[in-house]
Amino acid sequence: MDRRIGVIKLPINRLHIELTNACNFSCEFCPDSKMKRKRGFMSVDMAKSILDQVSEFKDINMVLFHVLGEPTLHPDLIEIAGYASSRKLKTCITTNGSRLSRDMLHALQKAGARHIIISLQTPDERTFSMRGAKDISFSEYADQITSAVKTLIDEELDIELTISFLSSPLRRLIIPIAKEFSIADTSKQLRAYLKLWAEKVMTGTTLEDRLPQVLKKIKRARCFSQNRIRLSDRLSFETRIVGDWSTHFQKRIVKARFGYCPGLQENFGILWNGDYVFCCTDYEGRTSTANFNDMSIRDYLSSGPVQEMVKGMQRFSEFACETGRLCIIL
């Protein structure tokens, strides 16, 4: 049966909940340094209220604790993750991994967290310099990630762990504002990074005998594609092409004859202060038309501005979208 709220087809794939927009990194490919809105932390009461509504709504497939910021900085992350689990919600935590200690992994498993994405992104000392990390060196960071992965493997934690890498093919076209930005410009370079990290995290573990098969899979990775390489049932690498997220809302407003934006059709977000946003790339809250404190999730999705935005995208006329560079224009 086709379920809808007005023009929005259900279920919605993802709700992004920003527990905080504070971060201990300031990555060059992230708009953290450009963000003007106030930094803060979502209250536990608001987080729980949102999770209650998601549980009752039943038409959101997954909750991701991430828009901007580093969720492990939130002092009540474990409590919030545990509450989401008690509400039988499928959740995912996206982290840079710098604070993902053995104790935190065990606490998250005990709380019921079942999927963590580590945004490794910059796999060597040269590229790590783009992260703006003041209190941790690359060697310390690499050791932290390696230790977390080996804890997952050797202690057989019931958590799915995804390690995310970036590639930068045709960067002069894809990221014209940062032509010098380079991580993995070629498939050969991307495969070298993946091989390095597969050997780093698998050697000396119970997965070591799988390494030859994993290296064969890595040989098929392409820097122009999103790649997913399974190391085990609970551990995988994924790669994606970097984009200029930090300038999404600095472009000239134009009327488009064609285009598509998945915002609100596939995902939407709630910032730490309760502001709803049309998609997970709205780091500044420019698309906010309501606040969770004043409007329920269902009422927000039913509201006039939201419905008109989705109608416009379905007509391919009122909202512009330049793939990889612009998601929503108001």
Side-chain angles (χ1 to χ4, degrees):
M1 182 178 177
D2 188 16
R3 303 194 312 280
R4 292 178 178 269
I5 293 181
V7 296
I8 298 174
K9 187 175 181 179
L10 302 174
I12 295 171
N13 285 337
R14 307 183 310 277
L15 167 61
H16 294 256
I17 299 177
E18 181 186 77
L19 296 182
T20 180
N21 61 345
C23 192
N24 57 338
F25 283 13
S26 185
C27 303
E28 291 180 15
F29 46 84
C30 171
D32 177 85
S33 63
K34 296 180 173 64
M35 181 179 62
K36 300 288 196 299
R37 64 187 169 96
K38 182 180 178 182
R39 297 186 189 262
F41 295 80
M42 182 176 285
S43 71
V44 174
D45 287 344
M46 182 187 292
K48 288 182 176 180
S49 182
I50 293 170
L51 295 170
D52 284 339
Q53 287 197 23
V54 174
S55 177
E56 293 160 5
F57 185 51
K58 300 185 186 304
D59 275 310
I60 294 172
N61 289 336
M62 178 183 288
V63 171
L64 286 90
F65 292 116
H66 182 63
V67 175
L68 210 63
E70 171 53 45
T72 63
L73 291 174
H74 197 291
D76 301 301
L77 171 63
I78 305 301
E79 181 181 351
I80 293 168
Y83 191 77
S85 178
S86 74
R87 298 295 279 165
K88 310 298 183 187
L89 297 175
K90 184 177 181 182
T91 59
C92 179
I93 299 166
T94 299
T95 171
N96 60 37
S98 64
R99 295 167 48 85
L100 201 60
S101 65
R102 179 179 180 275
D103 287 346
M104 180 171 285
L105 275 171
H106 277 274
L108 286 169
Q109 178 187 243
K110 187 175 180 180
R114 290 296 174 262
H115 190 189
I116 298 172
I117 298 175
I118 297 179
S119 294
L120 174 65
Q121 316 295 34
T122 50
D124 63 5
E125 189 164 7
R126 176 188 67 83
T127 55
F128 186 72
S129 65
M130 302 175 188
R131 304 299 289 273
K134 297 178 181 178
D135 300 321
I136 187 171
S137 67
F138 173 72
S139 61
E140 291 170 329
Y141 179 65
D143 287 346
Q144 181 76 34
I145 303 300
T146 303
S147 176
V149 177
K150 291 191 172 184
T151 295
L152 175 88
I153 295 169
D154 292 337
E155 300 184 28
E156 298 183 345
L157 300 187
D158 187 19
I159 294 176
E160 181 181 351
L161 189 62
T162 301
I163 302 177
S164 179
F165 297 78
L166 290 175
S167 64
S168 51
L170 294 180
R171 53 192 164 89
R172 292 176 185 273
L173 297 176
I174 297 173
I175 328 172
I177 62 165
K179 296 178 182 180
E180 73 285 354
F181 187 98
S182 173
I183 295 180
D185 294 346
T186 66
S187 296
K188 181 179 179 181
Q189 192 175 22
L190 179 63
R191 292 176 200 138
Y193 284 142
L194 294 172
K195 178 177 181 291
L196 171 70
W197 276 89
E199 292 172 342
K200 187 186 290 286
V201 301
M202 296 177 76
T203 300
T205 73
T206 56
L207 295 184
E208 187 168 2
D209 61 341
R210 299 189 187 185
L211 187 56
Q213 288 77 28
V214 170
L215 295 180
K216 286 182 181 178
K217 295 178 183 177
I218 287 173
K219 288 181 179 179
R220 297 193 291 270
R222 300 288 185 272
C223 69
F224 282 96
S225 306
Q226 289 189 330
N227 302 275
R228 186 172 179 83
I229 300 162
R230 280 218 164 268
L231 284 67
S232 74
D233 292 342
R234 294 189 179 95
L235 178 63
S236 61
F237 289 171
E238 70 175 16
T239 77
R240 63 181 179 86
I241 300 171
V242 68
D244 59 345
W245 177 27
S246 63
T247 65
H248 278 186
F249 293 88
Q250 297 177 15
K251 302 295 181 181
R252 181 172 60 90
I253 297 175
V254 296
K255 286 194 174 183
R257 293 186 179 181
F258 63 89
Y260 175 71
C261 174
L264 279 167
Q265 292 279 239
E266 297 180 13
N267 72 87
F268 67 104
I270 302 178
L271 304 182
W272 71 265
N273 67 346
D275 283 348
Y276 290 103
V277 288
F278 286 176
C279 77
C280 61
T281 66
D282 185 2
Y283 64 90
E284 201 68 278
R286 295 269 305 270
T287 63
S288 181
T289 61
N291 187 282
F292 178 79
N293 291 309
D294 305 317
M295 187 177 291
S296 70
I297 290 174
R298 183 175 290 277
D299 287 345
Y300 168 70
L301 296 175
S302 304
S303 66
V306 168
Q307 291 289 314
E308 285 303 310
M309 190 283 293
V310 176
K311 282 181 189 176
M313 285 308 306
Q314 290 175 347
R315 289 195 300 266
F316 301 105
S317 60
E318 293 183 1
F319 293 82
C321 177
E322 185 177 348
T323 304
R325 296 182 62 188
L326 187 65
C327 272
I328 298 173
I329 296 179
L330 293 180

